[in-house]
Amino acid sequence: MGSISALSESTIKRILSINTPFFEFGVVNSWKSLLPLIGVCRTWRRIGLPLVYKDVFIDNTNHASIGCVQWRTNVNLILANNLVHLVKNLYIDLNDHSCMCLFLSNANKTFGFDDHRWANVEMLTVKYYENMFIDKVATIGDERQKRMAPQMKAFADAIVKNMPGITRLKLSTFKRNSLGDIFSNTLANSFASQLYLIKSLKAISFTVPRLGANITHLNLWLNPNSEQLLPLINAESLHCIHLFAVPACFSWKYFYSESSEDGCINFRNLMHLRLEFTEESNDIDYCGCRPPTTESDECTKFRVLFPKLEHLRIDNSPRSSDIFYDNEYPEHLKRIEINYSIGAMEMLRQSNIKSFDNFEFYSHFIHLDDEDIFYRSTNHFFGSETHKSNSRMTLNGLQFELDVRRLEWPMLTELLIFGSCEYQTMYALIEKLPLLGKIAVGDLSFNNIPETKLLMGPDPQHAVPQRYLETKIQQIHIFNTSGSQCYSSLGANCIQYLLLQMRSVCELSAYDCDWLNLPEFVHQYKGWFPHLGKIVVNL
């Protein structure tokens, strides 16, 4: 039998790569488990060192009960072995004020900035959260942050000086955190020209005129009150855009280049696009935003191309259709998700998108004035011509009764209705939607329900339904029941008779609905109707 050291270098590297997990916060023990791999032999050590020591972490372990403020880190081990040149990724997770104070006071010593230059670090990930949810605590937190501000600025400047090769930034902190402002703004603006990826859960105030030409991933919360919402960005290099707190009058002008064709912006490599607009009530005071009818806004209309887009998500509504004015998408997308915006549904209905694999729509308070738009847009996206494999619709707070006669949703696979829904409406939906696999109703109302021939009794064989429903529904969820015939035997019989008609159902969840007598019904009738035996009833 050959020695393990006799394996080829490519095989050893493959073994080590498989056992090197994708590093995330809180997996210090996983990193420690890699150390024995580089102790197998000299060959394994030589090949494994770059894999094991590419990640540096600083993770606080604050034990308030014993008054101990500490952090875990492998920085000392790396410095002691002179392995700084192997480090590619730096992770800092300090979610405690005392720990952050101690860390900032010793940052230069911790990293050995006086003697070492971390020139090969490419990615910096920082998480800093301090509990400031209570007003009193928030006031104290503000004072703490003012005192720490000079130290935080000095640490950010030290990173810029000693880690000049950073091309990926991932920054996470509370929105109300002035230390986060100092740190995020310093790093983002200092490295702007060389970034491939920037992700920040706190709005950044950009002072640079543009980001680097090689930016591929943009994941930002916007600050509408800053003098510059975004710097100029190269549209052609981007693969992924996630923008949050987007002003309702947002324009694509930040992605426009004078070298492009007149009025044309081409996101030629973009595959993921998510735009989360602010709610209208929070968007009134947005700096520089005016109603789209003004003359100055006419120049913000661009022809925008998304030739490789695969995933599209829109949350809330833009103030006008200008952002969708002349957009061209692929005819087929892998996934579309629209939340809280029937307007975005209607805008995309008029686009060149013809089909998709997955579609999800979540509505919230669709007004009576938008009833026609609702049926027109949902019939388009859940109709037979779109050829999707999975589609989900959540209806929350419709301001009008759902008219089953007006809807055409033959491709809908999952329907959730939060709010009141009459039993007859639910029955009609089940009957009309052939691909529906799951239906959930927030409040199933029993009013003026029809008589059924099913009565709980000693002769279940006489309860054969007049016809079975051709349906694929496997799950039914009922969260509440109401109505004049709620708690009546007739109401219970309706649900029981429905189960007899649906041979596809595997699970029925009816919360606080003991009056339906479903366990007794299933037990008594499953001998004559075998499909009842596979139904799991949750009450």
Side-chain angles (χ1 to χ4, degrees):
M1 180 180 293
S3 169
I4 192 171
S5 61
L7 294 172
S8 66
E9 289 199 8
S10 60
T11 302
I12 296 173
K13 191 171 184 178
R14 177 62 176 163
I15 293 172
L16 292 172
S17 298
I18 292 175
N19 286 278
T20 304
F22 179 75
F23 194 92
E24 287 289 352
F25 291 111
V27 291
V28 177
N29 292 333
S30 297
W31 183 85
K32 289 182 178 180
S33 67
L34 299 174
L35 296 179
L37 295 177
I38 60 177
V40 173
C41 62
R42 290 182 179 179
T43 302
W44 280 55
R45 177 176 175 80
R46 176 174 55 83
I47 297 173
L49 279 178
L51 296 174
V52 174
Y53 288 101
K54 65 181 174 62
D55 297 310
V56 170
F57 60 85
I58 297 175
D59 180 23
N60 75 267
T61 55
N62 180 31
H63 303 286
S65 60
I66 60 175
C68 180
V69 179
Q70 297 177 336
W71 61 77
R72 296 174 294 184
T73 180
N74 58 353
V75 173
N76 295 336
L77 182 61
I78 289 172
L79 291 175
N81 289 277
N82 198 26
L83 298 174
V84 172
H85 62 285
L86 297 179
V87 177
K88 300 292 184 181
N89 309 311
L90 171 58
Y91 303 84
I92 301 176
D93 185 3
L94 298 173
N95 296 335
D96 176 83
H97 173 75
S98 299
C99 195
M100 176 62 80
C101 286
L102 185 60
F103 169 75
L104 290 178
S105 299
N106 295 275
N108 280 342
K109 182 179 179 181
T110 300
F111 286 99
F113 282 147
D114 293 335
D115 302 312
H116 299 275
R117 198 163 184 260
W118 302 66
N120 293 328
V121 174
E122 298 174 354
M123 183 173 75
L124 173 62
T125 304
V126 179
K127 290 176 66 177
Y128 172 47
Y129 290 93
E130 184 176 357
N131 189 357
M132 294 181 294
F133 290 116
I134 304 174
D135 290 341
K136 183 177 180 180
V137 176
T139 302
I140 296 173
D142 290 341
E143 293 300 320
R144 287 174 172 178
Q145 292 178 44
K146 289 179 182 179
R147 292 195 298 268
M148 292 172 60
Q151 291 177 308
M152 181 63 83
K153 182 63 167 68
F155 178 54
D157 290 338
I159 287 180
V160 173
K161 178 182 177 181
N162 293 280
M163 301 180 185
I166 289 178
T167 57
R168 290 174 291 167
L169 276 178
K170 296 182 179 181
L171 309 171
S172 179
T173 185
F174 283 137
K175 293 181 181 179
R176 181 178 177 177
N177 191 320
S178 59
L179 291 179
D181 284 335
I182 294 170
F183 195 73
S184 300
N185 293 341
T186 299
L187 295 182
N189 287 290
S190 298
F191 294 121
S193 63
Q194 63 195 52
L195 289 177
Y196 289 90
L197 177 151
I198 180 169
K199 177 180 180 180
S200 177
L201 298 184
K202 183 173 178 61
I204 293 175
S205 295
F206 286 100
T207 57
V208 294
R210 64 177 66 245
L211 294 183
N214 296 319
I215 185 76
T216 60
H217 289 73
L218 192 69
N219 190 323
L220 295 174
W221 284 78
L222 302 185
N223 180 8
N225 296 317
S226 64
E227 294 183 4
Q228 181 177 302
L229 189 64
L230 283 171
L232 296 178
I233 302 169
N234 180 23
E236 296 191 357
S237 64
L238 285 165
H239 293 181
C240 177
I241 297 176
H242 288 182
L243 295 180
F244 303 88
V246 179
C249 59
F250 181 76
S251 168
W252 292 114
K253 64 183 180 181
Y254 305 101
F255 302 89
Y256 180 69
S257 172
E258 294 179 356
S259 61
S260 304
E261 298 178 11
D262 291 342
C264 181
I265 301 173
N266 191 347
F267 291 94
R268 63 175 69 253
N269 292 301
L270 192 69
M271 301 177 70
H272 295 258
L273 174 61
R274 178 179 179 182
L275 299 175
E276 183 176 302
F277 293 93
T278 58
E279 296 181 15
E280 187 70 22
S281 59
N282 297 329
D283 194 42
I284 298 174
D285 297 328
Y286 274 11
C287 168
C289 290
R290 293 174 297 277
T293 55
T294 63
E295 182 179 354
S296 60
D297 275 348
E298 292 299 318
C299 63
T300 65
K301 295 182 178 180
F302 299 97
R303 180 168 175 256
V304 186
L305 310 180
F306 301 95
K308 293 184 179 180
L309 192 66
E310 296 181 351
H311 301 263
L312 174 62
R313 175 171 173 175
I314 299 174
D315 296 86
N316 301 320
S317 296
R319 185 171 293 167
S320 76
S321 61
D322 284 0
I323 194 169
F324 302 103
Y325 168 67
D326 194 13
N327 295 358
E328 291 187 17
Y329 306 91
E331 291 188 354
H332 180 84
L333 271 66
K334 288 185 178 180
R335 180 176 178 82
I336 297 178
E337 186 174 348
I338 308 295
N339 297 313
Y340 314 111
S341 179
I342 191 63
M345 287 275 286
E346 178 64 8
M347 295 173 195
L348 289 178
R349 183 189 70 82
Q350 302 175 54
S351 72
N352 64 312
I353 300 173
K354 294 183 178 179
S355 62
F356 30 82
D357 295 328
N358 297 276
F359 192 99
E360 185 167 342
F361 173 55
Y362 185 101
S363 73
H364 185 64
F365 290 108
I366 299 179
H367 298 284
L368 181 61
D369 293 342
D370 295 323
E371 183 177 10
D372 291 339
I373 295 176
F374 168 78
Y375 288 112
R376 185 166 62 242
S377 60
T378 55
N379 287 349
H380 172 79
F381 284 111
F382 300 108
S384 59
E385 295 182 358
T386 48
H387 306 293
K388 66 198 73 61
S389 57
N390 293 288
S391 56
R392 170 175 173 160
M393 177 156 47
T394 302
L395 302 177
N396 186 9
L398 285 181
Q399 302 300 296
F400 50 86
E401 292 291 333
L402 194 62
D403 188 348
V404 180
R405 296 169 300 177
R406 295 187 61 181
L407 60 87
E408 297 293 337
W409 304 336
M411 303 303 293
L412 187 64
T413 58
E414 188 171 337
L415 177 61
L416 292 81
I417 302 175
F418 291 103
S420 180
C421 177
E422 290 290 336
Y423 168 80
Q424 296 94 314
T425 300
M426 184 184 77
Y427 186 94
L429 288 168
I430 293 173
E431 194 174 28
K432 188 171 184 177
L433 306 180
L435 296 183
L436 200 63
K438 175 182 177 180
I439 185 168
V441 177
D443 185 9
L444 187 62
S445 183
F446 293 87
N447 294 295
N448 302 316
I449 55 179
E451 294 284 344
T452 67
K453 294 183 178 181
L454 175 61
L455 294 173
M456 293 289 287
D459 298 315
Q461 68 270 28
H462 297 303
V464 177
Q466 296 178 350
R467 65 186 179 89
Y468 290 102
L469 296 178
E470 297 298 327
T471 177
K472 294 186 177 182
I473 290 182
Q474 295 186 338
Q475 298 179 43
I476 300 177
H477 298 275
I478 302 170
F479 296 96
N480 188 44
T481 54
S482 63
S484 60
Q485 292 170 298
C486 186
Y487 303 107
S488 69
S489 59
L490 185 57
N493 284 343
C494 282
I495 297 297
Q496 296 166 6
Y497 192 71
L498 179 62
L499 291 181
L500 289 187
Q501 291 185 285
M502 299 173 62
R503 291 175 287 188
S504 61
V505 175
C506 297
E507 178 183 353
L508 173 64
S509 298
Y511 304 97
D512 296 325
C513 295
D514 293 341
W515 66 276
L516 293 175
N517 300 317
L518 293 177
E520 297 85 350
F521 164 73
V522 169
H523 177 74
Q524 184 172 357
Y525 281 76
K526 65 182 180 181
W528 284 268
F529 302 93
H531 71 275
L532 294 179
K534 66 179 182 180
I535 297 179
V536 177
V537 177
N538 302 311
L539 295 177

